[in-house]
Amino acid sequence: MNAKRYLRLLGVQLKASGLLALQYRADFLAEGLTSLAWTFTALAPLFVVFNARPSIEGWTFQESLLVVGWFTLLQGVLEGAISPSLTGMVEHIRKGTLDFVLLKPADAQFLVSTQRFLPWRAVNVLSGVGLFVYAFVSLGRWPSLPGIFASLVLLATSMLILYSMWILVVSAAFFVVKVDNLTYLFTSIFDAARWPSAVFRGSLAWVFTFIIPLALMTTFPALALLGRLPWTWLVGAVVGAVAFASVARWVWLMSIRHYTSASS
């Protein structure tokens, strides 16, 4: 794979999405303000819960804000960079237009994963960073450099896992075509990532750590910023993300082999 060529192609796709968004500037501003409003709405349950008690399972309000910050940041990545393109891929399969993608001289997974971006979702990313700053100002201290480095590594692994999970979900469209319910189900489950993983018990805690690794996406990076993440967990997160991505790639290639176009 020619990395330079694919980076240039990604730049073209980003520029096209940005120009398309700016073509309707009123919509661009409205969507940005809506994203900001949803971010503050998402904080409401946290205020309600911590109004009755000072901490939950060892997490204070300020520390839980870090988890919400990571959730908000990843929600921006999911809804701005991952979901629009991969949802469009389902439409390609349904309408039989995926053939045009497969015939192009580039990796099909890359093309369907970068065909559309929603720039206003960057508001969520900035809101997440704002929550980090507010939380640490309230805590009266700042994260260490190793903690920031570990959290950035975990950000990369979280994005890779999130993307891989969506690849697995939309790959189902090759067999059942209509996967709207699956995407809604995944989005609903992802909402649980706004809470520290310690609040979940029993089988639910195991599922959210190893099957649908929500804990790795938001709680682990928050622990890294707080300086409480064991390095073995960091290594496990990297290995797990690579394994997840490998499985997703294998499933994608298997799905492509079973694909029969609408014209065949």
Side-chain angles (χ1 to χ4, degrees):
M1 178 183 288
N2 188 330
K4 189 175 179 180
R5 178 182 170 221
Y6 279 90
L7 283 175
R8 190 166 60 247
L9 187 56
L10 177 61
V12 171
Q13 301 279 50
L14 284 170
K15 184 179 179 181
S17 295
L19 291 174
L20 183 63
L22 289 173
Q23 191 174 1
Y24 306 98
R25 296 184 182 180
D27 289 350
F28 184 88
L29 291 175
E31 292 288 351
L33 290 173
T34 303
S35 297
L36 197 60
W38 273 113
T39 300
F40 286 106
T41 303
L43 292 174
L46 211 63
F47 283 110
V48 172
V49 171
F50 281 96
N51 189 43
R53 58 187 73 182
S55 67
I56 298 176
E57 298 297 332
W59 288 78
T60 64
F61 172 75
Q62 291 82 4
E63 291 169 349
S64 297
L65 272 182
L66 293 175
V67 179
V68 177
W70 282 107
F71 170 78
T72 305
L73 190 153
L74 288 175
Q75 191 178 39
V77 173
L78 173 65
E79 296 180 356
I82 298 176
S83 176
S85 294
L86 295 181
T87 303
M89 192 206 77
V90 177
E91 288 300 312
H92 275 308
I93 297 173
R94 190 176 300 164
K95 296 176 180 176
T97 54
L98 187 65
D99 304 35
F100 299 110
V101 178
L102 298 176
L103 290 173
K104 291 180 179 176
D107 184 78
Q109 184 178 344
F110 177 85
L111 290 176
V112 299
S113 302
T114 59
Q115 59 185 331
R116 189 185 177 206
F117 298 94
L118 300 180
W120 55 78
R121 290 300 179 186
V123 172
N124 288 60
V125 177
L126 296 176
S127 299
V129 174
L131 287 175
F132 297 154
V133 174
Y134 178 77
F136 276 106
V137 168
S138 301
L139 287 169
R141 65 185 183 90
W142 294 98
S144 64
L145 284 178
I148 293 174
F149 174 75
S151 64
L152 290 176
V153 172
L154 288 168
L155 172 61
T157 60
S158 301
M159 290 168 60
L160 184 60
I161 289 176
L162 204 54
Y163 168 72
S164 301
M165 290 175 71
W166 262 85
I167 286 290
L168 292 173
V169 169
V170 299
S171 291
F174 286 99
F175 304 97
V176 296
V177 180
K178 193 172 178 60
V179 294
D180 293 358
N181 292 334
L182 280 178
T183 57
Y184 292 146
L185 176 63
F186 175 78
T187 305
S188 301
I189 292 174
F190 183 64
D191 276 345
R194 74 179 69 232
W195 298 100
S197 59
V199 304
F200 300 105
R201 295 290 184 184
S203 57
L204 207 54
W206 190 83
V207 168
F208 285 163
T209 301
F210 298 104
I211 305 299
I212 307 173
L214 302 180
L216 188 152
M217 296 182 196
T218 56
T219 301
F220 281 24
L223 287 172
L225 286 176
L226 292 168
R228 303 200 310 234
L229 184 78
W231 68 268
T232 50
W233 291 19
L234 178 63
V235 173
V238 173
V239 173
V242 172
F244 227 100
S246 301
V247 171
R249 177 67 177 174
W250 179 78
V251 170
W252 166 264
L253 293 175
M254 289 289 292
S255 302
I256 286 290
R257 288 196 196 100
H258 286 83
Y259 172 67
T260 53
S261 69
S263 58
S264 64

